[in-house]
Amino acid sequence: MAKKQEGWGGTGAQGVQIDKARIPENENVDVGHDDLVRMFALARQSLPNLRRFLVPIYDKRNLLPSPGFHYTLSNEILFGKNSLCIEGFRQCAKSELISTACLYALRFPRVEFSYIPVIKFQSGAATKMLRQVKQDYCDSPLLNTNIEGIDEASESALQIRVRDDEGKVITVRFEAYGKGSSIRGANWMHRRPDVVLMDDVQDKQEMRSETIHEDDWSWFLSDIKMLGVASRI
């Protein structure tokens, strides 16, 4: 039996003791039922908890407590009602929060959080992130227990059918876009996006250019903001 972990840090995790809270890749899941219940209860609460308890860990040196603001941002991303803009310092793990939000959408699916375009500086970067999401989801014996099937895993989209807690099958679709892409008409199954996740859409050089700023702002207002009345950004 692995040593119990204490003081995980962050809202809802302090003082919780869970055997084998991290399941390494390719290791059988032999966690007791009560511990599993607690792990999933904590993972449902926030993005940092989901990554800590359910996502495969490839380098144990990276197993560090999440700062408090990760939990605040997690609550806004998962359960907020309005659009949100975050300016974070370098290496604050904001990109990790974005990718973990995609994992959350797969493991704890909700219809209102199931059509999610992802926008990066280049479409290739968005595709790379979705490939990592697919790998993390498929590699974790705790994440992928609700999978029904993978419908698409292409350069432009990742679409997976999963079951919610009541056994209902929900299709979760992610689409990869680069900044400036023609996303205004994004539509899937007669639906507009539920949430649009944008991450690092400008580099340092572009941030110094007033012309690029103006072009980017025009693109945001014409293509992103007009996606749908109910779409959160």
Side-chain angles (χ1 to χ4, degrees), residues 8-181:
W8 287 90
T11 303
Q14 287 286 2
V16 176
Q17 296 184 352
I18 298 177
D19 287 350
K20 297 189 68 178
R22 299 306 300 258
I23 308 298
E25 185 182 15
N26 297 325
E27 181 170 330
N28 293 329
V29 178
D30 58 357
V31 178
H33 175 74
D34 290 343
D35 285 335
L36 278 174
V37 170
R38 282 181 284 176
M39 287 168 65
F40 276 93
L42 287 173
R44 185 187 295 275
Q45 291 177 0
S46 70
L47 299 176
N49 284 357
L50 180 139
R51 181 160 289 277
R52 181 165 294 275
F53 295 121
L54 302 186
V55 179
I57 182 169
Y58 302 102
D59 187 350
K60 292 185 179 181
R61 294 172 298 179
N62 293 331
L63 186 58
L64 299 173
S66 296
F69 73 87
H70 278 190
Y71 292 87
T72 302
L73 296 181
S74 167
N75 190 62
E76 289 293 332
I77 293 171
L78 295 178
F79 310 114
K81 301 299 182 183
N82 302 310
S83 295
L84 173 69
C85 179
I86 303 168
E87 183 178 8
F89 55 86
R90 289 178 65 86
Q91 298 183 335
C92 70
K94 58 184 183 297
S95 295
E96 183 175 279
L97 286 175
I98 296 296
S99 62
T100 306
C102 297
L103 290 172
Y104 190 101
L106 291 169
R107 190 56 193 84
F108 302 111
R110 313 191 311 262
V111 173
E112 66 273 18
F113 198 73
S114 60
Y115 179 24
I116 307 173
V118 175
I119 305 175
K120 292 272 207 175
F121 172 64
Q122 296 177 332
S123 60
T127 298
K128 182 179 179 180
M129 193 205 79
L130 292 182
R131 284 175 178 166
Q132 186 63 53
V133 167
K134 176 178 176 289
Q135 179 180 337
D136 286 344
Y137 177 73
C138 292
D139 282 356
S140 172
L142 296 179
L143 281 175
N144 62 35
T145 54
N146 67 334
I147 189 171
E148 282 289 307
I150 298 177
D151 296 329
E152 182 177 355
S154 65
E155 295 288 321
S156 59
L158 173 65
Q159 183 171 308
I160 302 179
R161 284 172 288 113
V162 292
R163 296 186 308 275
D164 65 10
D165 291 343
E166 297 179 354
K168 178 183 177 182
V169 176
I170 296 176
T171 299
V172 180
R173 181 175 176 83
F174 308 98
E175 294 177 348
Y177 292 93
K179 184 189 68 174
S181 298

